[in-house]
Structures are given as structure tokens and as C-alpha cells.
């Protein structure tokens, strides 16, 4: 069995592991049927990066497919500026920097460094207000690096049948709540 992890699933898993199952289940359906307004806006905001229309500068790479052999992680980066040796993850709107955002950046970092790119700085950008948040590279924050590696182990050993959500706020903010048999809202 292939144990590749998709970079975007790191954040999804932290939010709720069951959401990955539902995302795959609904994946081929029209997104308007199951995505929230915030998710649709986020997808729309990434279009320029995904279509490689973000920059015409030769040193700026966008939407590069990346793979880490060490962590068996695959996905795409948002932006890499080779002159600045800067890796950027963009989000539509940021109220708080969640671990999942950082772990997505770590996965991109490891994949790119394995591919031979030099990265000295990383940041997460909030597109709505143009704020930039500096993120330490994994070797500069060993506690977060260890949490990243622990998350990967948990994802590889996760069993949906044994999962029980214990955070009702996550259920309240989940686009799959209506379809989920683990949702706490209906268990009241």
C-alpha cells in the first residue's frame, strides 16, 4: 500500500482526520455542492499561483510539484523566490497561525531541499490584508520539527474506525458535518 501523504492533508488531518475521507469521497463532485464560501474564496485566491501567473520574474517559481523521499510527502508549493531563498505559503485570510500551516511549509521545505533548492527563509502570507508571518526553518525550531514528524507518524497509523471527534467547535466549522457520523452536533 502506498503511504504517500499529500501536503494539504497535513492541515486537514489536524482539523479533523475524517475530513480527509469526506474530501476524497466528494472530490469528483462540483465544489459548490460541498465547499464553504471561505474555501471557494481560498481556491479562487490561489488561481494566479496555480496557473503560474503570479510573477514573470525568472527567479520566482510557483505551483512547483514537489516530493520528499524522506517523509514520503507530495504536493505543490505556492511561491519560491530563488534570489531571496524564500519559500512562501499563501492563505486567503489568516486570523491565527495554526500548526497545520507551519507543517505544510515544513513539508514543502523538506521536499524542495531534497530537490536541491536552497531555502534560508520561510513565511506565510495572508492575502486579504497582505500581512507576512516569518516562520522558522525546521532546524531552528526543534520542538515544531518533532511535532511535524509526530504528525506524519500519526497519519500513517490512523484508523478512521477508531476515531471519535471530541471538539464540537471543529464540527461546527466543518463543511462535511451533515454527512459525518462522528459529528458531535447531532449527538448532543
Amino acid at each position: 500500500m502506498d503511504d504517500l501523504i499529500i501536503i494539504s492533508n497535513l492541515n486537514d488531518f489536524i482539523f479533523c482526520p475524517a475530513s480527509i475521507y469526506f474530501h476524497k469521497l466528494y472530490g469528483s463532485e462540483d465544489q459548490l455542492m460541498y465547499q464553504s464560501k471561505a474555501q471557494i474564496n481560498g481556491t479562487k485566491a490561489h488561481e494566479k499561483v496555480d496557473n503560474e501567473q503570479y510573477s514573470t520574474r525568472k527567479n520566482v517559481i510557483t505551483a512547483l510539484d514537489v516530493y520528499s523521499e524522506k517523509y514520503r510527502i507530495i504536493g505543490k508549493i505556492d511561491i519560491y523566490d530563488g534570489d531571496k531563498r524564500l519559500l512562501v505559503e499563501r492563505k486567503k485570510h489568516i486570523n491565527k497561525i495554526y500548526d497545520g500551516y507551519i507543517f505544510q511549509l515544513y513539508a514543502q521545505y523538506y521536499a524542495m531541499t531534497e530537490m536541491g533548492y536552497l531555502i534560508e527563509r520561510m513565511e506565510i502570507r495572508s492575502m486579504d490584508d497582505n500581512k507576512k508571518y516569518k516562520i522558522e526553518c525546521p532546524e531552528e525550531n526543534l520542538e515544531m520539527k518533532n511535532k511535524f514528524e509526530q504528525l506524519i507518524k500519526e497519519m500513517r497509523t490512523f484508523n478512521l474506525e477508531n476515531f471519535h471527534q471530541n471538539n464540537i467547535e471543529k464540527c461546527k466549522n466543518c463543511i462535511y458535518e451533515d454527512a459525518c457520523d462522528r459529528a458531535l452536533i447531532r449527538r448532543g
Side-chain angles (χ1 to χ4, degrees):
M1 181 177 179
D2 198 350
D3 65 346
L4 281 178
I5 293 174
I6 299 169
I7 290 173
S8 61
N9 284 352
L10 296 168
N11 191 43
D12 295 340
F13 188 87
I14 292 171
F15 175 74
C16 178
S19 72
I20 296 170
Y21 166 78
F22 286 106
H23 184 70
K24 288 180 182 181
L25 182 67
Y26 288 108
S28 62
E29 299 295 323
D30 183 353
Q31 292 178 342
L32 291 174
M33 289 180 58
Y34 66 90
Q35 278 195 335
S36 68
K37 182 179 178 183
Q39 286 178 307
I40 291 169
N41 287 340
T43 300
K44 183 83 175 149
H46 268 89
E47 281 181 354
K48 284 191 183 240
V49 168
D50 293 341
N51 296 328
E52 300 180 32
Q53 298 171 337
Y54 176 78
S55 176
T56 57
R57 293 180 17 221
K58 297 208 182 301
N59 62 308
V60 175
I61 299 170
T62 61
L64 178 69
D65 290 313
V66 295
Y67 169 70
S68 167
E69 186 173 340
K70 177 179 180 179
Y71 292 106
R72 308 252 325 122
I73 294 177
I74 192 167
K76 284 187 182 283
I77 66 157
D78 281 351
I79 302 166
Y80 172 71
D81 186 324
D83 289 347
K84 296 178 181 177
R85 297 181 178 170
L86 172 67
L87 181 61
V88 178
E89 171 69 15
R90 297 179 353 141
K91 299 291 182 193
K92 174 75 172 127
H93 185 79
I94 297 174
N95 292 321
K96 175 184 175 185
I97 300 294
Y98 293 99
D99 287 355
Y101 297 175
I102 295 170
F103 297 156
Q104 285 179 285
L105 205 48
Y106 279 14
Q108 295 168 25
Y109 169 89
Y110 284 117
M112 290 199 67
T113 56
E114 283 182 35
M115 294 168 65
Y117 291 92
L118 298 175
I119 299 171
E120 294 175 358
R121 297 182 308 128
M122 300 189 314
E123 67 186 29
I124 297 174
R125 292 184 186 164
S126 176
M127 294 166 20
D128 280 348
D129 53 15
N130 204 27
K131 289 186 179 177
K132 299 176 182 180
Y133 301 89
K134 183 185 180 303
I135 304 298
E136 294 175 310
C137 291
E139 288 71 25
E140 297 169 340
N141 189 334
L142 296 181
E143 179 182 348
M144 284 301 284
K145 178 184 176 185
N146 291 337
K147 285 174 73 174
F148 167 77
E149 290 177 341
Q150 182 60 38
L151 173 64
I152 290 170
K153 287 178 188 172
E154 288 175 23
M155 290 178 76
R156 291 222 162 84
T157 59
F158 178 75
N159 182 339
L160 183 60
E161 291 179 21
N162 299 332
F163 173 71
H164 301 285
Q165 180 57 267
N166 57 13
N167 185 336
I168 196 164
E169 292 305 313
K170 289 186 177 188
C171 292
K172 287 179 182 177
N173 291 298
C174 182
I175 61 173
Y176 304 114
E177 186 274 328
D178 286 341
C180 184
D181 63 342
R182 290 159 175 76
L184 294 173
I185 293 172
R186 285 186 306 282
R187 283 196 243 158

